[in-house]
Every structure is written in structure tokens, then in C-alpha cells.
Amino acid sequence: MEYVWIDNIIDGLIDIYGTNNIYDLYDYLDISIKKLPMSNVLLHGNEAFYNRNFFDTEVVFIRENLTVEYEQFILAHELGHAILHTNMITSAFNINLLNLDKMERQANYFALKLVNLNIDEIIFEGFTIEQIAKSFNLPVKCLKLLLG
């Protein structure tokens, strides 16, 4: 799966802002983070929800009590939606026009590359992808994007 264009966007972000720290990037891009209990209706049982309203105010609602590593990944994933899928708000009115699976794969790839996940082949030799994902506290399907 070739996502060179996403790699270029990430390189540009890091060049412009001088960091890949997810919290700093949210500050620079003026995207709010609001932590919510898992039972909050806005989350619909998901870990997070990105919203851009008609006034271009952006906020990510994220489940509270996530591990730091997983929270950073989820925030990077939602930032991927904010940057890669800028037409989501207009397209969301006609769900048939969206390829949600493709958008999720792109956002996962963006997140993995932004957090600069480094999988040392020597350390993880003989591990299954499930074991590696668990050690990084990430979903297996996300890690499969990076490892092919």
C-alpha cells in the first residue's frame, strides 16, 4: 500500500512545526481535545470522535482513561482525519459517497507514521503481529498497515 503522499504531509508538518509531538501539533493547529467518559453519547462506543463544524472550529472528543501511548495514537489518528479528509463534513451528509474503510486505513497509517513507531526487528524476532501490537498497546489491524 503506497501512501507516499501521506508521508510527504507528515514530513511537511514536522518541518513547519518542528515536532511530531501530538499535543504540540494540536496546539499549533488550534484543535481542541475534550476528554469524555466512555459512556458519553458523542463517542458512540468509539475511542474518539473528530468534529469540524461549519465555522471551522475543530475538536476531538476522546475517551478518558486511555493509556498515554494509546491516547497519543488515537489523537494522531484523529489528526489524520482532520488533515487528510478535509471534506468529511460536507460528504458526511451523503454517506454513500464516503469510502469509510479507506479513510480509516489512511488515518491509521498517518498515526503510525506520525508517532514514528519503531519496531526493532531484533527485539521482536519470533513475535506474532498480535504480540507486537499488544506490546505497543495498538490494534492489530493498525499495525498490519505498517508491517504489510
Side-chain angles (χ1 to χ4, degrees):
M1 189 173 321
E2 278 297 314
Y3 287 136
V4 173
W5 62 279
I6 296 176
D7 294 338
N8 292 336
I9 290 170
I10 292 169
D11 291 342
L13 272 175
I14 293 170
D15 285 347
I16 291 169
Y17 298 110
T19 186
N20 70 333
N21 180 289
I22 194 64
Y23 302 103
D24 291 342
L25 290 172
Y26 268 72
D27 285 341
Y28 290 133
L29 297 169
D30 198 26
I31 301 173
S32 299
I33 301 169
K34 303 289 183 196
K35 294 188 178 185
L36 301 173
M38 189 167 77
S39 61
N40 190 291
V41 69
L42 284 175
L43 294 176
H44 297 289
N46 297 312
E47 306 292 356
F49 170 70
Y50 165 73
N51 179 265
R52 178 187 304 120
N53 69 19
F54 290 106
F55 304 106
D56 281 337
T57 301
E58 296 175 283
V59 63
V60 169
F61 299 98
I62 188 167
R63 184 168 67 86
E64 61 189 8
N65 300 328
L66 297 175
T67 65
V68 173
E69 298 86 4
Y70 192 47
E71 178 179 287
Q72 290 173 351
F73 172 79
I74 294 297
L75 289 172
H77 172 97
E78 296 304 326
L79 184 61
H81 284 306
I83 291 172
L84 304 175
H85 309 130
T86 57
N87 61 344
M88 274 178 58
I89 190 162
T90 56
S91 296
F93 294 112
N94 188 348
I95 200 73
N96 295 328
L97 296 177
L98 294 176
N99 185 338
L100 296 177
D101 189 47
K102 180 179 179 181
M103 290 171 36
E104 286 301 307
R105 283 193 313 272
Q106 291 171 349
N108 284 335
Y109 180 85
F110 180 95
L112 288 169
K113 294 300 260 190
L114 183 65
V115 299
N116 197 21
L117 187 66
N118 184 14
I119 301 173
D120 187 315
E121 292 180 18
I122 294 172
I123 293 173
F124 288 104
E125 184 177 353
F127 281 57
T128 66
I129 195 163
E130 290 80 9
Q131 292 168 323
I132 296 170
K134 186 172 182 171
S135 71
F136 285 105
N137 199 20
L138 295 173
V140 172
K141 67 180 180 179
C142 298
L143 200 55
K144 283 182 180 179
L145 279 174
L146 195 62
L147 301 176

